[in-house]
Amino acid sequence: EVRLLESGGGLVQPGGSLRLSCAASGFPFSTYAMVWVRQAPGQGLEWVSSISVSGADTYYADSVKGRFTISRDNSKNTLCLQMNSLRAEDTAVYYCARHVVAAGCDSWGQGTLVTVSS
Amino acid sequence: QPVLTQSSSASASLGSSVKFTCTLSSGHSSYIIAWHQQQPGKAPRYLMKLEGSGSFNKGSGVSDRFSGSGSGADRHLTISNLQSEDEADYYCETWETNTRVFGGGTKLTVL
């Protein structure tokens, strides 16, 4: 069974930093691209960042480019999102998801809540 | 990059059928999309991938009541024999190498 378990969310002040993790199990993690998607309160889904199988290629939404960094450790089956210079508008539930070529995000974690507030 | 357009809301009665539409922007009508369901307070759940030909492949454990169709830029998700647990938000997704795009979502109310 595919399992994705996010952690690291919490309350942080504007301008602060937070590091999210996603522990993957039940599938060969090193053979799948991975994605972070967020959902602000009462809003729809917003893609945040993606990373290739090897980790060599990373992509970001314009809204987080230069502030967030996605990474992965295939030896530990872990996906991370380092979030710096956080803003109120970054407040959201952050989901990690597995991306399958030509099929989309076929497995989702349960999400972790990030609240940016003073 | 592609844009996906969805109606904001829909309603249908228990036991009836409902059809959602996701429209791809100009120049992107050949893209594969995926459909996701998000029940209140829960994480999204993958339903299926849907190609421009109308061919679809459902995720593991997805009920036979869910099906896909479409041609050109319009892609549809149909739910038959509506149940109360189908009340949820439904999102379409597409992607390119360097981006992922979600539609705004359609909120389904089961009457």
Side-chain angles (χ1 to χ4, degrees):
Chain A
E1 179 192 4
V2 174
R3 291 199 69 184
L4 298 168
L5 186 63
E6 302 92 336
S7 61
L11 175 63
V12 61
Q13 292 188 340
S17 298
L18 215 52
R19 186 176 180 85
L20 305 184
S21 295
C22 173
S25 61
F27 67 101
F29 178 74
S30 63
T31 65
Y32 287 87
M34 297 296 294
V35 174
W36 285 100
V37 175
R38 69 184 180 184
Q39 187 171 36
Q43 302 301 307
L45 301 174
E46 179 191 15
W47 170 70
V48 173
S49 182
S50 304
I51 189 166
S52 63
V53 165
S54 67
D57 299 305
T58 58
Y59 310 97
Y60 300 92
D62 288 343
S63 57
V64 306
K65 201 172 293 183
R67 300 187 299 122
F68 290 12
T69 302
I70 191 172
S71 63
R72 65 190 297 162
D73 185 337
N74 286 340
S75 68
K76 296 181 179 179
N77 291 349
T78 300
L79 174 72
C80 291
L81 185 68
Q82 177 66 42
M83 304 186 296
N84 298 331
S85 302
L86 282 161
R87 306 166 180 167
E89 54 264 37
D90 295 318
T91 294
V93 175
Y94 285 73
Y95 297 101
C96 69
R98 182 179 83 168
H99 188 263
V100 176
V101 174
C105 294
D106 78 331
S107 298
W108 297 74
Q110 88 293 341
T112 187
L113 176 62
V114 172
T115 302
V116 184
S117 175
S118 54
Chain B
Q1 70 179 42
V3 174
L4 298 172
T5 301
Q6 299 182 251
S7 298
S8 59
S9 64
S11 62
S13 301
L14 266 174
S16 69
S17 296
V18 66
K19 187 176 186 178
F20 304 115
T21 300
C22 173
T23 302
L24 286 147
S25 53
S26 177
H28 303 96
S29 61
S30 64
Y31 281 37
I32 297 170
I33 73 158
W35 282 104
H36 303 278
Q37 176 196 58
Q38 187 177 34
Q39 294 172 320
K42 293 190 174 182
R45 176 197 178 201
Y46 179 81
L47 294 176
M48 67 181 67
K49 72 168 220 183
L50 177 56
E51 299 184 16
S53 63
S55 171
F56 64 96
N57 291 92
K58 292 190 291 187
S60 174
V62 176
S63 170
D64 290 342
R65 300 185 296 105
F66 291 82
S67 63
S69 63
S71 64
D74 289 336
R75 309 292 168 81
H76 309 294
L77 171 69
T78 299
I79 312 174
S80 60
N81 188 20
L82 272 172
Q83 305 297 304
S84 58
E85 61 262 31
D86 299 329
E87 187 159 287
D89 295 323
Y90 292 84
Y91 294 93
C92 52
E93 173 206 3
T94 196
W95 54 91
E96 295 179 323
T97 301
N98 60 348
T99 190
R100 305 287 186 276
V101 176
F102 290 92
T106 299
K107 183 178 185 62
L108 172 65
T109 300
V110 178
L111 304 173

